Amino acid sequence: MTIKLIGDKMDLLTVMGRTLFFYFFILLCYRIMGKREIAQLSISDLTISILIAELVAISIENRDDNTMLTILPIILLVGLEVLLAFIQLKSNSVREFLDGKPSLIVDKGKLNFKEMVKQRYSVDDLLLALRSNQIKSLDEVDYAILETNGKLSIFKKNFLKMSGDYPLPIVIDGKIDYEALRAINKTSKWLTNRLSENDLSLSNLLYAFYKKKTIYIIKKEK
């Protein structure tokens, strides 16, 4: 009886010790991955978080396994996430592949049914998001954008309930957003011509958006 009791105590201490260790270890890992991981979870972030949680749960449950069998895969996942985050800063195509693109759900007060079907975003989902933002009805909404983390960003109409112009991003990290250009009925040739008239090129731009027939730009810093 005494031996069993000691064994139970040892098991309890082992579980408590592993739990405390992994708490601080995972806290360190998320600090390394950056504050963006805490504020929001994209698809890739969510995948990494689920895998880390599963590895930790298995390690705490299987007390006889070597802890390094859990630590090494977590370090690999953290390294992979940091590497992917760096690559996404340099490549829009990789970022879109991993996290997708924001979707315009409401455009100038009108539902974009095609995009809703594509994103499998129902009217009930939309109404729930509106209620969560203290918006009573759809006629108060000018634009609504489904972000890559699943959050709905909502832009309300003005006090006269008139629609305005949403500043469409037409250049991001020096790359043209062709969907945005199509939305404003413009072409890439039109954009490059406007830039060349002002002695600019895509390689000079960090960000550019179009609003009220004007292109607003932010240049890259050397």
Side-chain angles (χ1 to χ4, degrees), residues 103-146:
S103 301
L104 191 61
I105 301 299
V106 179
D107 184 8
K108 295 182 179 179
K110 297 181 180 179
L111 291 179
N112 187 346
F113 289 106
K114 183 178 180 180
E115 194 63 28
M116 291 178 70
V117 171
K118 180 181 177 182
Q119 299 298 328
R120 294 179 293 281
Y121 198 79
S122 68
V123 176
D124 286 337
D125 294 329
L126 176 60
L127 294 177
L128 175 61
L130 295 182
R131 290 194 296 270
S132 300
N133 287 274
Q134 289 78 48
I135 297 177
K136 298 178 182 178
S137 62
L138 186 60
D139 64 351
E140 298 180 33
V141 179
D142 196 6
Y143 292 91
I145 301 171
L146 184 62

Side-chain angles (χ1 to χ4, degrees), residues 37-49:
E37 307 301 324
I38 301 172
Q40 60 183 13
L41 288 177
S42 63
I43 295 175
S44 60
D45 302 334
L46 181 61
T47 303
I48 296 293
S49 298

